[in-house]
């Protein structure tokens, strides 16, 4: 629907107007989808699902009916890399650790950042497919389809600054969705305003050496590499952005000998470990209360 609306207007509506139309449509759909995933314990009491109420205990806290987050959120899924038994199945069948990631993320988005050619789109797509209950979004692809122009054409027409502005608008729209694996443009991290969106999810940095990247993208029409020395340009860009990339929650060092499956497996392992090391605030508070011998809710 989004693409039909933008394509039908491509001959009569200016590029910037198509971007505005796409942004509005994304926001409308995002709001509709997000409401469907609102956690039960955060919904008004009158809207609480009856079937959920029958399975969880309603507590009294501060004069309000309240459901213990432990019962609503915690699906008792452990880190499969720390408990190998979770990945054992019948016969040769094994449970993919990616399948166990969704319940632990509880709808939180995954954002892939890194230099051009680092594999953000390829790895993000693999992760989403293996998870099964997450969708994959590529901000560059969304921009190209909405504008009916390639990234190089957009750079030529609007300049890098114009492209970054559109990129920020797209991120502003897609971050409102939940249960998404999102691949971002290499320079998206340069605008600090984008970090307020990225930090609503878990940010994964695919750190690949410029020399390795050049073996992947040499001969392509990447706008920023149309220089006399593309490799040096890539190194300079990498150095300029390194401080921003280092703000990621997870860093994956990708070497020449790592294929997509190996990189994806390392990403999954580190995300599972990150969740272990960064439990929700309510879970930490409850654990502390229990350790101190205090009832969670009286």
């Amino acid at each position: 629907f989004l693409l039909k609306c933008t394509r039908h207007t491509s001959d009569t509506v200016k590029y910037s107007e198509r971007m505005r139309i796409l942004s509005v449509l994304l926001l409308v759909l995002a709001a509709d989808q997000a409401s469907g995933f609102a956690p039960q314990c955060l919904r008004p009491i009158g809207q609480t699902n009856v079937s959920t109420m029958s399975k969880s205990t309603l507590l009294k806290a501060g004069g309000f009916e309240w459901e213990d987050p432990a019962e609503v959120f915690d699906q008792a899924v452990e880190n499969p890399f720390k408990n190998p038994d979770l990945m054992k199945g019948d016969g040769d069948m094994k449970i993919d650790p990616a399948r166990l990631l969704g319940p632990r993320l509880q709808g939180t988005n995954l954002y892939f950042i890194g230099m051009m050619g680092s594999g953000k789109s390829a790895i993000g797509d693999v992760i989403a497919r293996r998870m099964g209950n997450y969708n994959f979004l590529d901000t560059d692809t969304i921009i190209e389809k909405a504008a009916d122009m390639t990234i190089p054409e957009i750079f030529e027409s609007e300049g890098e600054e114009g492209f970054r502005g559109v990129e920020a608008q797209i991120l502003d729209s897609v971050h409102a969705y939940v249960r998404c694996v999102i691949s971002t443009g290499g320079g998206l991290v340069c605008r600090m305003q984008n970090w307020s969106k990225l930090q609503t999810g878990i940010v994964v940095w695919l750190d690949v050496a410029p020399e390795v990247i050049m073996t992947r993208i040499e001969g392509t029409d990447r706008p920023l590499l149309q220089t006399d020395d593309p490799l040096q340009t890539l190194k300079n860009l990498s150095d300029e952005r390194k401080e921003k990339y280092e703000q990621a929650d997870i860093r994956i060092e990708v070497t020449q000998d790592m294929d997509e499956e190996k990189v994806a497996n390392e990403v999954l392992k580190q995300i599972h470990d990150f969740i272990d090391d960064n439990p929700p605030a309510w879970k930490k508070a409850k654990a502390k209360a229990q350790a101190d011998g205090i009832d969670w809710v009286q």
Side-chain angles (χ1 to χ4, degrees), residues 128 135-142 174-175 177 180-184:
N135 294 313
F136 174 67
L137 298 174
D138 186 318
T139 58
D140 281 353
T141 300
I142 292 174
V174 302
H175 101 281
Y177 286 81
C180 290
V181 178
I182 301 170
S183 169
T184 66

Side-chain angles (χ1 to χ4, degrees), residues 211-277:
E211 292 79 6
V212 175
I213 292 177
M214 281 305 300
T215 64
R216 301 176 177 180
I217 66 174
E218 193 168 11
T220 62
D221 57 353
R222 306 277 178 160
L224 297 179
L225 297 184
Q226 303 308 303
T227 63
D228 294 334
D229 191 345
L231 177 57
Q232 187 57 51
T233 301
L234 191 62
K235 289 180 179 179
N236 294 342
L237 285 172
S238 181
D239 290 340
E240 291 171 8
R241 298 172 180 176
K242 185 177 181 181
E243 186 178 355
K244 301 293 194 302
Y245 289 145
E246 288 176 340
Q247 296 180 47
D249 300 303
I250 295 169
R251 176 185 181 184
I252 306 294
E253 295 188 62
V254 182
T255 57
Q256 181 74 58
D257 62 330
M258 296 174 71
D259 58 17
E260 288 183 3
E261 182 179 4
K262 191 170 184 178
V263 175
N265 287 338
E266 183 61 24
V267 169
L268 291 169
K269 180 180 183 303
Q270 291 207 32
I271 293 176
H272 274 293
D273 290 344
F274 179 82
I275 294 172
D276 285 346
D277 296 337

Side-chain angles (χ1 to χ4, degrees), residues 37 101-111 131 133-135 175 177-182 197-203 249 271 274-275 278 280:
F37 291 113
L101 187 56
R104 305 194 74 207
L105 285 171
Q106 300 170 3
T108 299
N109 289 337
L110 300 177
Y111 293 94
M131 288 179 69
N133 57 353
Y134 265 55
N135 294 313
H175 101 281
Y177 286 81
V178 295
R179 290 184 172 89
C180 290
V181 178
I182 301 170
K197 314 301 187 307
L198 295 174
Q199 289 171 342
T200 61
I202 296 177
V203 184
D249 300 303
I271 293 176
F274 179 82
I275 294 172
N278 298 272

